[in-house]
């Protein structure tokens, strides 16, 4: 497997964005370097898979793992009765 070089990335380190654009070198699945773009030019391109981040944000080693389990549950088990104009219409909607 080729090593990975992400170039032209805006890097967020968990507390702040680093100034400028960076290159991130990943060797054998582990981040081995994060440097300004011009500092990683010595690696032979034929040994790397190169991804141009085009200034997009990369968050090395950060995992955004939150999710909204309850929001999905509330949607599944809630019923909007705002369009019901009679008690009978609301009761039919609830029965379904």
């Amino acid at each position: 497997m080729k090593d990975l070089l992400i170039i032209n990335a805006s890097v967020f380190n968990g507390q702040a964005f680093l100034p400028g654009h960076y290159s991130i070198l990943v060797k054998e699945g582990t981040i081995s370097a994060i440097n300004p773009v011009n500092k990683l030019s010595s690696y032979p391109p034929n040994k790397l898979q190169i991804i141009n981040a085009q200034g997009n944000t990369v968050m090395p080693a950060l995992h955004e793992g939150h999710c909204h389990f309850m929001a999905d549950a509330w949607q599944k088990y809630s019923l909007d009765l705002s369009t019901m104009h009679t008690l009978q219409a609301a009761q039919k909607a609830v029965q379904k």
Side-chain angles (χ1 to χ4, degrees):
M1 174 169 64
K2 287 185 176 183
D3 292 331
L4 173 66
L5 180 64
I6 302 170
I7 61 172
N8 296 322
S10 176
V11 175
F12 182 74
N13 68 6
Q15 295 181 336
F17 280 93
L18 302 180
H21 288 141
Y22 285 76
S23 294
I24 302 165
L25 181 63
V26 180
K27 290 181 139 192
E28 298 178 13
T30 301
I31 296 171
S32 65
I34 299 175
N35 290 314
V37 170
N38 59 357
K39 298 279 184 169
L40 291 175
S41 59
S42 63
Y43 292 92
N46 62 338
K47 303 270 184 186
L48 297 169
Q49 175 187 357
I50 299 174
I51 297 175
N52 187 343
Q54 299 177 350
N56 289 303
T57 300
V58 176
M59 299 187 303
L62 297 178
H63 181 269
E64 198 289 288
H66 90 278
C67 58
H68 298 269
F69 291 111
M70 293 307 296
D72 290 336
W74 283 115
Q75 271 189 339
K76 185 174 182 179
Y77 295 106
S78 66
L79 179 61
D80 181 9
L81 298 176
S82 65
T83 60
M84 306 296 150
H85 300 291
T86 66
L87 176 61
Q88 292 79 14
Q91 287 172 333
K92 283 184 182 180
V94 169
Q95 287 175 350
K96 287 182 184 181

